[in-house]
């Protein structure tokens, strides 16, 4: 299943935030540096696609599908960050590059890369 990079970024952010707090649009907007209206539109789209649910207080929860996508995206991100920093890349550059790489690599290629990392 192919999902847009922006959706993966939102799901990954929700996943990370949900580890330490209840997640709302405002916390997502702050974490991602987006406006609250932009996040609201994105959340409606993610909800329509079955990736998140919003309760009556507008708390955001990942569905099983959303959590699966978020965990895979997060795993790729961390793996690429670790690889790049172990090769001597500056932490900030490694973080930025890992964010791009997490979306670019296929599941098959990532599985092969994990074997050698």
């Amino acid at each position: 299943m192919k999902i847009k990079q922006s959706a993966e970024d939102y799901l990954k952010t929700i996943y990370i935030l949900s580890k330490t707090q209840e997640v709302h649009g405002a916390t997502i907007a702050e974490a991602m540096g987006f406006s609250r209206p932009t996040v609201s539109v994105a959340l409606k789209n993610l909800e329509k696609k079955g990736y998140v649910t919003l309760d009556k207080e507008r708390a955001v929860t990942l569905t099983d599908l959303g959590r699966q996508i978020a965990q895979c995206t997060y795993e790729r991100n961390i793996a690429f960050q670790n690889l790049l920093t172990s090769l001597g890349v500056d932490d900030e550059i490694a973080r930025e590059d890992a964010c791009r790489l997490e979306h670019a690599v296929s599941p098959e290629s990532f599985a092969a890369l994990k074997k050698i990392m």
Side-chain angles (χ1 to χ4, degrees), residues 76-96:
R76 289 190 308 263
N77 180 280
I78 295 300
F80 283 124
Q81 278 189 60
N82 290 339
L83 173 64
L84 293 169
T85 55
S86 74
L87 295 171
V89 176
D90 175 78
D91 288 346
E92 182 64 23
I93 294 170
R95 186 186 64 74
E96 291 171 6

Side-chain angles (χ1 to χ4, degrees), residues 15-65:
Y15 175 72
I16 293 167
L17 291 171
S18 68
K19 291 180 173 194
T20 60
Q21 63 187 293
E22 185 173 75
V23 181
H24 292 271
T27 54
I28 297 167
E30 183 179 331
M32 296 183 78
F34 296 152
S35 71
R36 289 174 72 177
T38 298
V39 171
S40 180
V41 169
L43 288 174
K44 286 177 187 168
N45 288 332
L46 292 172
E47 187 176 35
K48 284 180 189 174
K49 293 182 180 188
Y51 300 139
V52 301
T53 60
L54 288 92
D55 68 16
K56 62 183 178 180
E57 285 85 30
R58 307 290 294 157
V60 181
T61 304
L62 293 168
T63 63
D64 289 340
L65 177 59

